[in-house]
Amino acid sequence: MAKDTVRYPDEVVEEIDALVEDGMFESKSEFYRFSAEYVLTLINPEHDVKTFNFDEIKTELDISEEDHAKALGTDGGTFFLDAVITVRKHGLRGDYEAAERFIDTHYDPTDQECIILEELLGTYRADPG
């Protein structure tokens, strides 16, 4: 197992200490391991969790599906709806370069979502008004 040193603001560490003192987590290490794995599952639902008792801790924390969906974003975590909103906003403002930069930064040119976003952007370029 690798060891990694990370610095946190004092206020964050105090809150984590309080969670450990309240017994929500057995140790600060357990909190950090669970937190990292949880975020990885938000980013990638296929992530293979390695943390011991991950599901048990998640159940004890009573993270509802609604809470989980909120953490994922407006469209349940695919990021696509947020991307559509961003491209639309830039398109309405005529800021096509910003929209293209956004698409290029977040998508591979062959991704289906990329193609759809480029088509969406094209509709704003074609609309004279």
Side-chain angles (χ1 to χ4, degrees), residues 22-67:
D22 290 345
M24 192 167 284
F25 291 91
E26 288 184 19
S27 66
K28 287 171 43 168
S29 292
E30 182 183 67
F31 172 86
Y32 292 125
R33 283 191 296 271
F34 174 82
S35 299
E37 293 269 38
Y38 184 72
V39 170
L40 290 171
T41 63
L42 292 176
I43 295 168
N44 176 12
E46 307 291 318
H47 172 69
D48 183 24
V49 175
K50 303 287 188 215
T51 298
F52 180 71
N53 288 341
F54 178 85
D55 290 328
E56 182 180 315
I57 295 168
K58 189 175 168 189
T59 300
E60 287 176 12
L61 292 175
D62 195 27
I63 300 172
S64 70
E65 289 303 315
E66 183 178 312
D67 292 334

Side-chain angles (χ1 to χ4, degrees), residues 12-28:
V12 171
V13 174
E14 289 169 10
E15 288 189 44
I16 294 167
D17 286 341
L19 292 173
V20 172
E21 287 174 22
D22 290 345
M24 192 167 284
F25 291 91
E26 288 184 19
S27 66
K28 287 171 43 168

Side-chain angles (χ1 to χ4, degrees), residues 87 103 112-126:
V87 170
I103 295 168
Q112 184 178 20
E113 291 178 347
C114 176
I115 295 166
I116 293 168
L117 291 172
E118 288 175 342
E119 288 294 322
L120 173 64
L121 180 58
T123 64
Y124 292 103
R125 286 187 169 145

